[in-house]
Amino acid sequence: MNVPLSPDDSLRTALAGLVDGLPPKVAAQAVERLITNYRGRTPTDAPVLRDRSDVVAYAAYRMPATYEAVCSALEAFAAAVPGWVPGGHVDIGGGTGAATWAVSATWEGERAVTVLDWAEPALALGREIAAANPELKAAEWRRSRIGAALTIESTDLVTISYVLGELTEGDRAAVVDAAAASGQAVVVVEPGTPDGYARVIEARDRLIHAGFHIAAPCPHSATCPIVPGEDWCHFSARVSRSSLHRQVKGGSLPYEDEKFSYVAAARFPVTPAPARVVRRPQIRKGQVLLDLCETEEHLRRETVTKRHGPLYRAARNADWGDAWPPAGA
């Protein structure tokens, strides 16, 4: 009996099949150029993804990392809205559809899916890859300018991942406002850099102003306690490296860590985590140091020792980005 592949395995298999048909030298050269130019410096009226070779190389190189980052954000969001399942999903600037795969991995079942992007070659490849996922076969891949003129039909969930850095300040505001006007829930994911975090905070403020409640990663909808310019909030997702990753970067490790910043918010009631681990836990002899963002709108370091019993064991297993304390601890 054939066991259906998980979305993660299906995506990896589909991408591997695409790269098999692309000469390694062509793929490596395309990735090097695209990584330099694609994210953050290209206006939406001049797509960098010019042809199929560009799109295949970019998808094979970046799509797994985007997928894992969005999965991590959606997992935290789903924990804050237990029982809620989106009946529809619009992915703004979705390109080859990494976020649609992440939504499919988070909530089982078919739903109305629309991917909006300016680059037709990316949409075409996204449609082709989606054929490997039964829950995405009916998805609509629509060419659309991502900016002030964007219009979106009403839906349950809107995702905006690794897109805002490509836009002007005015277009960023318009896109987030359009998402807020059409979606019951909005999830924004950006690179885990100071600039990416700044764009996430801008989006967070606009969503709160539009009446949304912050579900993750923040334990509250008040002002972020991080002082601008001194630090930034970001997290990490582990990504399995393909042969193309190793070829381009010249490394031998089977994985790499994708740093990302995100915000997830909803118009309906949410139950955010009591606190969030915002740095990698420091495990020392007999104790674990946790840096936490809390509901009191401040950052605090908590020291958990062996005297705390089960909580200490939970702290040793805690990861960067986890809710704290874990349920039942």
Side-chain angles (χ1 to χ4, degrees):
M1 183 178 70
N2 293 328
V3 178
L5 295 176
S6 67
D8 184 62
D9 290 336
S10 295
L11 178 58
R12 188 179 296 112
T13 300
L15 291 175
L18 291 172
V19 176
D20 284 344
L22 195 64
K25 185 175 181 180
V26 172
Q29 291 175 342
V31 167
E32 289 174 354
R33 180 178 64 80
L34 293 169
I35 292 304
T36 300
N37 296 300
Y38 186 66
R39 292 296 179 190
R41 298 207 300 269
T42 304
T44 54
D45 59 351
V48 168
L49 300 180
R50 304 171 303 185
D51 53 31
R52 182 178 172 83
S53 294
D54 277 357
V55 177
V56 168
Y58 186 81
Y61 189 82
R62 279 299 306 167
M63 198 172 172
T66 302
Y67 168 79
E68 293 293 352
V70 178
C71 276
S72 294
L74 292 176
E75 180 181 359
F77 175 60
V81 292
W84 182 81
V85 177
H89 171 215
V90 173
D91 188 20
I92 298 176
T96 54
T100 67
W101 283 80
V103 170
S104 178
T106 305
W107 294 283
E108 293 183 355
E110 293 186 46
R111 59 185 52 84
V113 176
T114 302
V115 181
L116 305 175
D117 200 273
W118 174 239
E120 182 60 40
L123 293 168
L125 188 69
R127 187 182 301 111
E128 180 180 334
I129 297 171
N133 186 339
E135 295 178 359
L136 295 178
K137 286 183 177 179
E140 180 182 358
W141 303 78
R142 185 189 307 166
R143 192 178 188 198
S144 174
R145 190 181 298 275
I146 310 301
L150 179 67
T151 58
I152 311 170
E153 298 175 357
S154 295
T155 189
D156 288 338
L157 175 65
V158 179
T159 54
I160 314 170
S161 56
Y162 293 84
V163 174
L164 298 181
E166 301 174 18
L167 307 178
T168 65
E169 182 177 355
D171 282 347
R172 286 200 301 269
V175 166
V176 173
D177 288 349
S182 63
Q184 291 299 304
V186 177
V187 177
V188 177
V189 183
E190 282 288 297
T193 62
D195 287 345
Y197 162 71
R199 292 189 291 270
V200 166
I201 285 297
E202 289 176 3
R204 182 183 186 273
D205 289 345
R206 299 196 76 85
L207 291 171
I208 292 172
H209 182 72
F212 279 67
H213 310 286
I214 303 302
C218 322
H220 56 79
S221 296
T223 301
C224 176
I226 294 177
V227 178
E230 293 187 6
D231 202 353
W232 70 99
C233 182
H234 65 294
F235 302 95
S236 180
R238 182 141 293 184
V239 184
S240 296
R241 300 178 77 192
S242 66
S243 59
L244 179 59
H245 278 82
R246 293 192 289 273
Q247 177 184 342
V248 172
K249 288 197 171 183
S252 59
L253 287 176
Y255 64 85
E256 65 180 13
D257 292 325
E258 171 72 7
K259 304 298 194 304
F260 66 97
S261 295
Y262 77 97
V263 64
R267 285 197 174 278
F268 49 85
V270 300
T271 308
R276 180 80 57 187
V277 180
V278 293
R279 289 290 180 271
R280 199 176 301 279
Q282 299 181 42
I283 300 178
R284 300 179 180 177
K285 186 176 181 180
Q287 62 181 11
V288 180
L289 307 182
L290 299 176
D291 291 310
L292 303 173
C293 180
E294 300 185 307
T295 54
E296 290 78 11
E297 304 166 36
H298 67 259
L299 303 174
R300 180 177 68 86
R301 171 166 288 183
E302 179 173 325
T303 301
V304 185
T305 68
K306 287 185 176 180
R307 290 179 299 175
H308 291 95
L311 199 62
Y312 171 70
R313 289 191 290 274
R316 288 185 61 86
N317 292 326
D319 201 1
W320 184 9
D322 283 354
W324 184 260

